[in-house]
Amino acid sequence: MDKIHKNIGSDFEDFLEEEGILAECQTEAIKRVLAFQIEQAMKKQNLAKSAMAKKMNTSRSALDRLLSPEKSVTLNTISQAASALGGRIEMKLIVP
């Protein structure tokens, strides 16, 4: 009654790819990291959400969407947040 475990020895990314959710999980992870980094930078600069939204020329609700891991945001919004904090976004495409 040996049970074969097809995922033993593989890595977690292989498992996610087999399940067809790798890209979705990677996108979610990137979004969560960016939201965390933005929040940390706001705290470091002692910047309230309303002041941050004003610096971004957007609404407080738009900023809340950016900081919410469940909501999707555009690269433009992320770039605006980085600029408002005195930073910038760096991205690269990795193709095997």
Side-chain angles (χ1 to χ4, degrees):
M1 304 240 178
D2 288 336
K3 197 175 192 183
I4 298 175
H5 297 282
K6 68 178 183 173
N7 292 321
I8 290 180
S10 65
D11 66 20
F12 191 58
E13 283 190 2
D14 290 339
F15 168 75
L16 295 174
E17 191 167 10
E18 287 174 15
E19 295 296 312
I21 58 172
L22 177 61
E24 179 183 339
C25 290
Q26 288 174 329
T27 301
E28 181 72 18
I30 291 167
K31 170 73 168 72
R32 287 178 181 269
V33 169
L34 286 172
F36 177 78
Q37 289 175 330
I38 291 166
E39 283 184 307
Q40 293 303 303
M42 287 172 59
K43 285 179 185 176
K44 186 176 180 180
Q45 294 181 22
N46 203 20
L47 196 58
K49 285 184 177 181
S50 55
M52 176 68 171
K54 187 174 182 176
K55 287 181 87 168
M56 290 175 61
N57 290 327
T58 192
S59 66
R60 167 101 188 253
S61 61
L63 178 60
D64 286 337
R65 282 192 300 276
L66 171 64
L67 298 176
S68 173
E70 296 83 28
K71 306 288 183 181
S72 63
V73 294
T74 65
L75 287 174
N76 185 51
T77 302
I78 295 167
S79 182
Q80 285 177 326
S83 180
L85 293 165
R88 68 180 192 279
I89 299 294
E90 292 184 5
M91 297 177 61
K92 66 179 177 179
L93 175 65
I94 301 171
V95 179

